Amino acid sequence: MKGKNYVFIANSLDGYIADKDGGIDWLNTVPNPDHDDAGYNNFMKKIDAIVMGRSTFEIVLSFGIDWPYQVPVFILSNSLQEVPKDYIGKVEIVSGTLTDIVESLNAKGYHHLYIDGGKTVQSFLQEDLIDEMIITTIPILLGGGIPLFSELPNEMRFEHTHTEIYLKEMVQSHYIRKR
Ligand SMILES: NC(=O)c1ccc[n+]([C@@H]2O[C@H](COP(=O)([O-])OP(=O)(O)OC[C@H]3O[C@@H](n4cnc5c(N)ncnc54)[C@H](OP(=O)(O)O)[C@@H]3O)[C@@H](O)[C@H]2O)c1
């Protein structure tokens, strides 16, 4: 692989990325009067494209906000037949093996990929296709929901490079895959 694949995601103290109803309102439980982006825009500066699971795409659409991404977004889906009309030119649907998808994006010049979505991150990890993870932990126990991690065929080691604390409550740790 020519490029690098990154995870930038928030989880609860008990390891969930969405609550029992699939919601993410709990991400906003930390008071944030100055709209601190917790390193998001800085992270996005190095990203060439996003690979997003179909469920996460649908959640973004449900926000009813202007399209928030400046880079191309590739939606992983075996069920979506076509891109919703308003998103043509912004997103593309991709399917196939993850290795083939990453290789074809790298060949198109997208070398730094942001991998987003619960199942999506898990399946990239299962194939050892994640190079860096930036995980922001919010101090809340959700008691259930969509987990960030799942079972893996083998243990995977990471080097912890640094941790930042945002808004005195959000703990953001950077990990690089040690192969
Ligand atoms: N806390 C955070 O920072 C954060 C970030 C992102 C998302 N979220 C939350 O996470 C939830 C969505 O995550 P999710 O785990 O439900 O789903 P997801 O990873 O967003 O999407 C899963 C879907 O992607 C498609 N897919 C196709 N090939 C795949 C493959 N090889 N591996 C995995 N997926 C593949 C499938 O769609 P088809 O059925 O169409 O084939 C699958 O159902 C939402 O509630 C969202 O709000 C939270």
Side-chain angles (χ1 to χ4, degrees):
M1 300 278 168
K2 283 192 207 149
K4 280 192 173 183
N5 301 328
Y6 303 84
V7 170
F8 184 101
I9 205 157
N11 70 2
S12 63
L13 214 44
D14 46 355
Y16 297 103
I17 61 159
D19 63 25
K20 288 177 184 170
D21 304 318
I24 51 170
D25 288 350
W26 54 276
L27 289 175
N28 303 315
T29 50
V30 176
N32 190 357
D34 297 327
H35 306 289
D36 189 323
D37 74 350
Y40 176 78
N41 286 310
N42 209 24
F43 165 73
M44 286 306 290
K45 281 185 198 153
K46 67 178 166 196
I47 293 302
D48 302 320
I50 301 172
V51 178
M52 180 181 286
R54 192 254 310 155
S55 306
T56 296
F57 175 56
E58 285 174 352
I59 292 283
V60 175
L61 296 192
S62 75
F63 293 153
I65 53 168
D66 287 344
W67 185 241
Y69 304 109
Q70 271 82 52
V71 295
V73 178
F74 295 90
I75 310 297
L76 261 185
S77 178
N78 295 312
S79 70
L80 270 183
Q81 301 302 318
E82 53 187 37
V83 173
K85 188 168 60 55
D86 294 345
Y87 300 92
I88 294 169
K90 298 187 174 88
V91 313
E92 250 179 65
I93 299 163
V94 290
S95 60
T97 72
L98 299 183
T99 307
D100 287 350
I101 290 169
V102 170
E103 278 177 356
S104 100
L105 294 179
N106 289 170
K108 288 179 183 156
Y110 304 120
H111 298 299
H112 296 273
L113 304 177
Y114 173 10
I115 311 302
D116 201 22
K119 286 192 196 112
T120 299
V121 168
Q122 290 171 11
S123 46
F124 270 75
L125 281 168
Q126 272 152 14
E127 304 204 18
D128 199 0
L129 287 170
I130 295 296
D131 301 290
E132 284 192 40
M133 299 195 297
I134 300 161
I135 299 174
T136 307
T137 303
I138 313 289
I140 185 170
L141 292 171
L142 293 174
I146 299 176
L148 173 53
F149 297 116
S150 63
E151 286 202 15
L152 293 167
N154 299 298
E155 70 175 33
M156 301 174 88
R157 295 185 183 207
F158 289 84
E159 178 192 347
H160 168 257
T161 60
H162 57 289
T163 289
E164 282 142 355
I165 297 174
Y166 289 94
L167 302 164
K168 295 187 179 163
E169 299 206 31
M170 296 158 61
V171 179
Q172 185 175 87
S173 295
H174 295 241
Y175 300 96
I176 295 179
R177 174 79 172 110
K178 267 166 71 173
R179 293 195 176 87

